[in-house]
Amino acid sequence: ACGATLLLLWGGAAPAEEHTVHAIAVRGFETMFFEPDFVRAQPGDSVTFIVDDLDHQPQSVFVPTGAADWQAEQGQSITVELTEEGVYIFDCAFHNVMGMAGVILVGDPVNLVDARAFYERYRDETIFIEKDRLDHVWDEESGVLGTAR
């Protein structure tokens, strides 16, 4: 009887998914990056940014209309609930000049034109090392915003 009750309460709705993004300082020859740098999610999902040292500070730099901006405390992990559909762009406040950034697609890319325009300015004006690190995300031939590598 308990199992049937749980099924009725569950209602068949998919549970919110919890995604994880790690802030990586150095691995092999690659430095200052998020893994993964592209997350595909649904409204109601969350992303936890795992920070293992004081040198990182994940933050939003572009969010869909209606979504809240966010910034972790220096050296602290943070969990962000993704409430609005669209493209979110995040970076590390300390290492954005090194291309330490990423993209989250929540549901449909309703703000894709604005997100792409923002990203192009951001890449040109903010990133000085690894300028092309996120270009794979915007590759039209690889699907909507591309796919995670």
Side-chain angles (χ1 to χ4, degrees):
C2 283
T5 302
L6 284 176
L7 282 176
L8 289 173
L9 291 174
W10 186 260
E17 193 171 340
E18 296 177 7
H19 305 271
T20 303
V21 173
H22 293 268
I24 310 287
V26 178
R27 181 183 299 136
F29 294 107
E30 194 169 13
T31 61
M32 305 305 168
F33 62 98
F34 287 104
E35 186 177 79
D37 61 7
F38 179 74
V39 174
R40 189 178 300 271
Q42 294 301 317
D45 287 2
S46 62
V47 174
T48 297
F49 292 86
I50 305 295
V51 175
D52 293 330
D53 61 56
L54 289 175
D55 291 337
H56 299 299
Q57 189 171 22
Q59 64 181 359
S60 62
V61 293
F62 180 89
V63 299
T65 300
D69 285 316
W70 48 267
Q71 182 177 51
E73 294 295 322
Q74 180 178 345
Q76 299 296 308
S77 297
I78 186 173
T79 299
V80 178
E81 185 175 348
L82 304 167
T83 59
E84 303 297 325
E85 285 194 317
V87 179
Y88 295 67
I89 301 173
F90 60 90
D91 71 11
C92 173
F94 302 122
H95 302 109
N96 50 18
V97 297
M98 299 175 76
M100 189 170 184
V103 176
I104 304 167
L105 170 59
V106 178
D108 294 323
V110 295
N111 61 343
L112 180 58
V113 171
D114 291 340
R116 183 184 302 270
F118 174 87
Y119 171 71
E120 288 172 0
R121 282 191 317 275
Y122 174 86
R123 180 187 59 211
D124 294 344
E125 297 171 5
T126 304
I127 301 174
F128 292 97
I129 301 171
E130 300 282 354
K131 268 192 184 291
D132 62 350
R133 181 177 271 167
L134 283 180
D135 286 356
H136 70 96
V137 172
W138 306 94
D139 180 5
E140 292 178 17
E141 292 184 14
S142 62
V144 178
L145 291 186
T147 56
R149 31 177 181 176

